[in-house]
Amino acid sequence: SKTTKLILLDSLLQETKMSWMKLAEGLSKLVQPTSVLHSSVREASKKAGGSTRNRCKNTPGKKRGIKVYDGQRIPEGKILVSQARLQILPGWNTKMLPNCNIMSLSHGRAILTTEKVEPNVQAYGELPAKLGEVLPSHLLKENIYRVHVHVLPDVQHQYFKLTEQI
């Protein structure tokens, strides 16, 4: 009776083992690997290469700077200076545009001068505190010189007085 129980148990185990194998074969036929699975298991495709910065080496320049010469005749509305940040200041009959370019307001001759600039301390005091000390105290003691662009108009008023009359 003990041996018959062992034989029955062994045959039952073999049958379940066979049924599991058949089930695994059937599932493997149903689930075929797709191309997505094949493409996800790939080697690295990039080779070691050089830097990718500044690929376009021959880009044209911005063409900024002074556009007129000292004493040159200019029409009204001409751009006198093209600049990205404030380097050259506007003078008489000139206007600074929002992009820091300087434009003439009248016909005339352009004059470039170097003048002493005195910073307005009150204007610097109105700036936000998060900028910190924008105008250091040592700048108030130094002489600051900047280039100015002026336009002397062709037609000037004729209201002149002698110095003795003033």
Side-chain angles (χ1 to χ4, degrees):
S1 98
K2 244 185 189 184
T3 55
T4 55
K5 284 184 183 178
L6 285 174
I7 294 172
L8 284 174
L9 187 62
D10 187 40
S11 66
L12 187 67
L13 283 175
Q14 283 182 359
E15 284 178 20
T16 54
K17 192 176 191 181
M18 292 296 269
S19 64
W20 278 109
M21 289 180 73
K22 286 181 183 176
L23 181 64
E25 283 178 17
L27 283 176
S28 67
K29 288 179 184 175
L30 288 175
V31 181
Q32 291 290 327
T34 61
S35 61
V36 176
L37 291 175
H38 285 292
S39 65
S40 66
V41 184
R42 292 175 59 180
E43 298 295 324
S45 61
K46 291 206 174 197
K47 305 277 193 269
S51 173
T52 59
R53 297 182 66 178
N54 195 12
R55 288 186 188 173
C56 46
K57 295 178 182 176
N58 297 327
T59 54
K62 300 287 185 187
K63 298 181 178 134
R64 292 189 177 127
I66 300 173
K67 303 296 180 192
V68 293
Y69 297 105
D70 195 25
Q72 179 179 342
R73 287 190 155 288
I74 53 165
E76 181 180 346
K78 181 173 176 62
I79 298 292
L80 306 175
V81 177
S82 174
Q83 54 189 355
R85 58 188 166 275
L86 189 61
Q87 295 172 329
I88 299 171
L89 300 175
W92 306 318
N93 298 317
T94 59
K95 173 185 173 183
M96 182 173 290
L97 301 175
N99 59 356
C100 285
N101 291 349
I102 299 175
M103 181 181 77
S104 69
L105 294 176
S106 65
H107 298 283
R109 291 192 182 270
I111 295 179
L112 299 170
T113 60
T114 303
E115 301 174 14
K116 184 177 178 179
V117 176
E118 295 180 11
N120 186 357
V121 181
Q122 294 169 344
Y124 281 97
E126 295 171 4
L127 291 174
K130 68 179 180 180
L131 295 176
E133 187 181 7
V134 179
L135 183 65
S137 59
H138 67 85
L139 282 181
L140 296 173
K141 299 172 188 170
E142 296 178 3
N143 293 331
I144 304 171
Y145 293 94
R146 292 284 183 263
V147 176
H148 288 71
V149 180
H150 304 283
V151 175
L152 290 181
D154 289 335
V155 180
Q156 293 186 2
H157 63 83
Q158 299 299 319
Y159 306 114
F160 298 106
K161 292 183 180 180
L162 297 174
T163 54
E164 292 89 26
Q165 292 178 348
I166 298 177

